[in-house]
Amino acid sequence: MDVIHKIGRRKTAVARVYVSEGKGNITINKKDLNDYFTTATLQYKVKQPFALTENEGNYDVKVNVYGGGITGQAEAVRLALSRAMCEIDPEHRGVLKPEGLLTRDPRMVERKKFGQKKARKKFQFSKR
């Protein structure tokens, strides 16, 4: 098996994932998974595609991720890994799709409009 390259996005975060056969090492921006994503919730999100497809410890993962915050980055990595698992074995799709791991979340920050304080909030209106 050669290296599989997939891209995942969430909000403004972009994750490029390179999956190859190995012992289960996950490296994100040249750091270990536990050093980059310090909370257990974010680590769980990243490992979720492997847990659902029962492939923990079978693949080495190298990730380049930039943009957004740490939650958006973790979810971008999760989407990219889910796409990679589907390319490795198309039968994984039946497990990952009902969990919503193959869906690109389109929610983005709404832009600020001119003449307003924020995207929807207006400046205080004074009648007199």
Side-chain angles (χ1 to χ4, degrees):
M1 175 190 143
D2 55 331
V3 178
I4 292 176
H5 171 238
K6 287 290 172 189
I7 292 178
R9 294 185 180 92
R10 173 74 172 95
K11 292 188 177 181
T12 56
V14 180
R16 289 182 166 80
V17 168
Y18 303 89
V19 179
S20 57
E21 281 187 7
K23 295 186 169 64
N25 299 325
I26 301 176
T27 309
I28 301 171
N29 290 354
K30 298 179 181 173
K31 288 184 180 179
D32 186 55
L33 169 71
N34 300 336
D35 296 333
Y36 195 82
F37 294 123
T38 51
T39 63
T41 310
L42 297 176
Q43 293 169 15
Y44 169 75
K45 279 185 181 178
V46 171
K47 293 176 182 174
Q48 208 174 357
F50 293 123
L52 290 171
T53 57
E54 296 165 9
N55 279 318
E56 293 159 303
N58 294 352
Y59 298 101
D60 283 346
V61 181
K62 186 171 167 279
V63 182
N64 294 327
V65 64
Y66 62 90
I70 54 167
T71 304
Q73 287 186 352
E75 292 182 15
V77 171
R78 179 173 71 176
L79 176 62
L81 284 174
S82 299
R83 288 176 171 172
M85 297 315 290
C86 284
E87 187 166 314
I88 290 168
D89 185 0
E91 292 190 4
H92 291 325
R93 187 174 180 83
V95 180
L96 295 171
K97 191 154 175 62
E99 296 291 324
L101 298 189
L102 294 173
T103 307
R104 160 69 164 101
D105 194 339
R107 294 177 294 173
M108 304 279 277
V109 176
E110 191 174 334
R111 69 173 286 265
K112 182 197 174 296
K113 282 78 169 188
F114 56 88
Q116 295 182 13
K117 205 172 183 82
K118 291 168 35 181
R120 305 233 173 151
K121 188 175 184 179
K122 314 285 191 283
F123 288 116
Q124 186 171 338
F125 175 71
S126 173
K127 197 163 191 176
R128 285 180 194 86

